[in-house]
């Protein structure tokens, strides 16, 4: 067997190229975050909720970054939502104390969440079964703490939860009381709003979300159960809700960055999308109408969320290095480390002349999925070629 020996000093530092000061010098594929667009997106929804007297509880599953969280709360910390207990632990370590874990409960997550509660974190969990109430109560007793839980409400058949008229709603509330668990309130997510695109339909989805959550809270209160929080949320309904009477808080996450799915829904413009993937041209196939780049699904994710929308954006919409969109140029195909750029079918636009080594920016279908493929954000300002910060992302469950 051939053995190659090498001094440690001969091995390139894997992180050295990530210290590049400009986009032109940055090793690709790389995740970019436009801080100007981020700040505008954060301010837009915060102001909208403040005007209606609603607490905004940002969902950190999209950003997974303390640096982004600090932009959402520049003067300190505030209430947040998470989708993994690793996120809860990470943000707790950075001073966040009011955390909702908005994923259904299992025995091991109940025990882990109660360890956080024992450490002084006001973590509230989510459930919709009496069996989960018993599990949570047992975990609370083992940790010598009083758990707090939301009952999940199903407002549109998107995922889990109980309808407001389901007799099990009161059964679960009773099971929580018997298990020594505090009922935090009701929580719902209008996930089917992602499949909409007309303003009137989005307004109706937001009203349906509100109506069913408030009705469930009313049922619980009428039966003698305290139900202090009525929590609703999705990025589309957060931006289209006209009446939030009876709601106490709004949860949303992808609004921080936006993406092509949200553009297709009608919540944002492409100019609002704050993240992109920087890629380099590594080949051309003019006879096929292709340009090859070094960003495949490992950099972009496999998410094809726009395929069901009126405009299919492939694996992403392609821009020049300054962020200007090439008309109808999409990532038409993706393998593990290759992306194939092509003009959208039916378009009269010509393939741009991009030589080997040219860089492009790719706007993602799903900000959460694309960001999760990367270790850090290379932070830029709108219109600038300079990288002015690098913000790490946490990962894991």
């Amino acid at each position: 067997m051939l053995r190659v020996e090498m001094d440690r000093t001969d091995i390139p530092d894997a992180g050295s190229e990530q210290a590049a000061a400009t986009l032109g010098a940055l090793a690709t594929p790389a995740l970019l975050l436009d801080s100007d667009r981020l700040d505008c997106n954060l301010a837009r929804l915060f102001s909208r909720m403040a005007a209606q007297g609603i607490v905004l509880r940002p969902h950190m599953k999209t950003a997974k970054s303390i640096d982004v969280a600090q932009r959402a709360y520049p003067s300190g910390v505030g209430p947040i939502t998470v989708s993994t207990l690793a996120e809860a632990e990470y943000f707790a370590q950075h001073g966040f104390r009011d955390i909702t874990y908005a994923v259904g409960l299992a025995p091991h997550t109940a025990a882990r969440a109660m360890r956080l509660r024992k450490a002084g974190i006001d973590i509230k969990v989510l459930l919709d079964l009496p069996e989960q109430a018993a599990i949570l109560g047992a975990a609370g007793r083992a940790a010598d703490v009083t758990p707090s839980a939301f009952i999940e409400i199903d407002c549109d058949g998107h995922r889990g939860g109980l309808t407001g008229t389901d007799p099990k709603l009161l059964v679960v509330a009773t099971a929580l009381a018997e298990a020594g668990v505090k009922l935090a309130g009701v929580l719902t997510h209008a996930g089917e709003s992602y499949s909409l695109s007309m303003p009137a339909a989005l307004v109706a989805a937001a009203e349906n979300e509100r109506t069913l959550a408030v009705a469930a809270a009313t049922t619980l209160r009428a039966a003698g159960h305290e139900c202090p929080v009525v929590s609703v949320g999705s990025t589309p309904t957060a931006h289209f809700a006209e009446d939030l009477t009876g709601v106490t808080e709004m949860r949303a996450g992808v609004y921080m960055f936006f993406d092509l799915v949200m553009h297709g829904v009608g919540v944002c413009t492409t100019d609002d999308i704050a993240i992109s993937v920087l890629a380099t041209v590594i080949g051309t196939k003019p006879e096929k109408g292709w340009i090859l780049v070094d960003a495949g699904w490992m950099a972009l994710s496999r998410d094809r969320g726009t395929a069901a929308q009126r405009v299919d954006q492939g694996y992403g919409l392609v821009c020049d290095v300054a962020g200007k969109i090439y008309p109808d140029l999409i990532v038409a195909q993706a393998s593990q480390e290759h992306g194939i750029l092509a003009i959208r079918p039916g378009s009269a636009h010509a393939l741009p002349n991009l030589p080997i080594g040219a860089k492009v920016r790719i706007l993602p279908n799903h900000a959460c999925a694309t960001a999760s493929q990367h270790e850090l954000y290379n932070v830029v300002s709108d219109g600038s070629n300079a990288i002015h910060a690098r913000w790490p992302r946490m990962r894991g469950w």
Side-chain angles (χ1 to χ4, degrees):
M1 179 183 293
L2 178 64
R3 181 178 179 183
V4 179
E5 294 188 0
M6 184 183 293
D7 292 337
R8 177 61 184 87
T9 54
D10 293 330
I11 302 173
D13 181 355
S16 61
E17 293 187 58
Q18 293 299 324
T22 65
L23 296 182
L26 186 62
T28 57
L31 183 64
L32 308 182
L33 173 57
D34 187 316
S35 59
D36 295 327
R37 295 185 181 190
L38 168 66
D39 289 343
C40 286
N41 296 340
L42 290 170
R44 173 185 171 189
L45 188 56
F46 179 84
S47 297
R48 191 170 201 277
M49 291 300 104
Q52 300 192 54
I54 302 298
V55 172
L56 178 60
R57 182 181 289 272
H59 205 318
M60 292 300 167
K61 69 174 184 175
T62 301
K64 294 181 184 279
S65 163
I66 186 58
D67 296 283
V68 175
Q70 289 169 346
R71 302 295 274 231
Y73 290 109
S75 60
V77 298
I80 60 171
T81 314
V82 298
S83 61
T84 71
L85 286 173
E87 291 169 34
E89 292 158 354
Y90 167 82
F91 286 106
Q93 288 168 1
H94 286 89
F96 285 84
R97 291 290 180 266
D98 183 357
I99 301 174
T100 294
Y101 172 50
V103 173
L105 202 67
H108 71 286
T109 54
R112 189 172 169 188
M114 291 308 97
R115 289 196 291 272
L116 277 171
R117 199 160 183 88
K118 183 74 171 178
I121 307 303
D122 180 16
I123 185 166
K124 295 167 283 292
V125 301
L126 183 66
L127 49 77
D128 62 1
L129 292 170
E131 296 93 324
Q132 292 170 309
I135 288 167
L136 182 58
R141 290 189 294 276
D144 194 26
V145 296
T146 300
S148 181
F150 285 102
I151 298 177
E152 184 174 9
I153 303 303
D154 176 10
C155 68
D156 58 12
H158 180 72
R159 206 150 48 200
L162 304 172
T163 63
T165 58
D166 192 325
K168 290 194 203 123
L169 180 64
L170 295 179
V171 172
V172 173
T174 300
L176 287 171
E178 291 173 347
V181 178
K182 179 182 177 181
L183 176 59
V186 294
L187 182 153
T188 192
H189 169 61
E192 286 302 296
S193 64
Y194 279 57
S195 65
L196 305 175
S197 61
M198 301 302 291
L202 289 161
V203 170
E207 177 58 17
N208 178 70
E209 179 183 47
R210 181 197 74 83
T211 299
L212 296 183
V214 171
T218 300
T219 297
L220 289 165
R221 291 165 184 157
H225 299 283
E226 290 189 9
C227 187
V229 179
V230 178
S231 180
V232 303
S234 74
T235 287
T237 54
H239 288 81
F240 279 85
E242 294 182 346
D243 178 9
L244 290 171
T245 303
V247 169
T248 64
E249 70 173 27
M250 178 68 69
R251 306 176 330 279
V254 76
Y255 79 97
M256 300 177 184
F257 298 162
F258 285 125
D259 53 30
L260 292 172
V261 167
M262 288 297 102
H263 173 249
V265 170
V267 185
C268 69
T269 70
T270 53
D271 288 338
D272 297 319
I273 300 176
I275 68 165
S276 59
V277 174
L278 188 71
T280 302
V281 174
I282 57 172
T284 61
K285 289 280 188 179
E287 71 279 9
K288 292 186 175 182
W290 290 356
I291 298 170
L292 279 63
V293 296
D294 61 355
W297 54 256
M298 285 291 286
L300 302 172
S301 89
R302 281 193 176 276
D303 197 292
R304 289 279 287 105
T306 61
Q309 295 183 328
R310 288 177 295 177
V311 178
D312 184 353
Q313 307 284 12
Y315 287 88
L317 190 58
V318 185
C319 311
D320 66 17
V321 74
K324 182 180 179 181
I325 294 172
Y326 288 109
D328 286 334
L329 185 63
I330 62 173
V331 184
Q333 299 179 49
S335 55
Q336 183 166 332
E337 303 296 352
H338 291 75
I340 296 177
L341 312 187
I343 295 296
R344 192 191 315 279
S347 172
H349 287 284
L351 197 69
N353 181 21
L354 295 175
I356 302 299
K359 285 186 164 64
V360 296
R361 291 167 74 164
I362 300 166
L363 302 180
N365 281 322
H366 185 180
C368 309
T370 296
S372 286
Q373 305 299 108
H374 299 264
E375 300 286 345
L376 58 82
Y377 301 102
N378 294 280
V379 184
V380 298
S381 296
D382 215 359
S384 171
N385 190 43
I387 300 167
H388 60 76
R390 286 176 179 80
W391 295 346
R393 303 181 72 261
M394 62 78 55
R395 304 178 86 172
W397 290 267

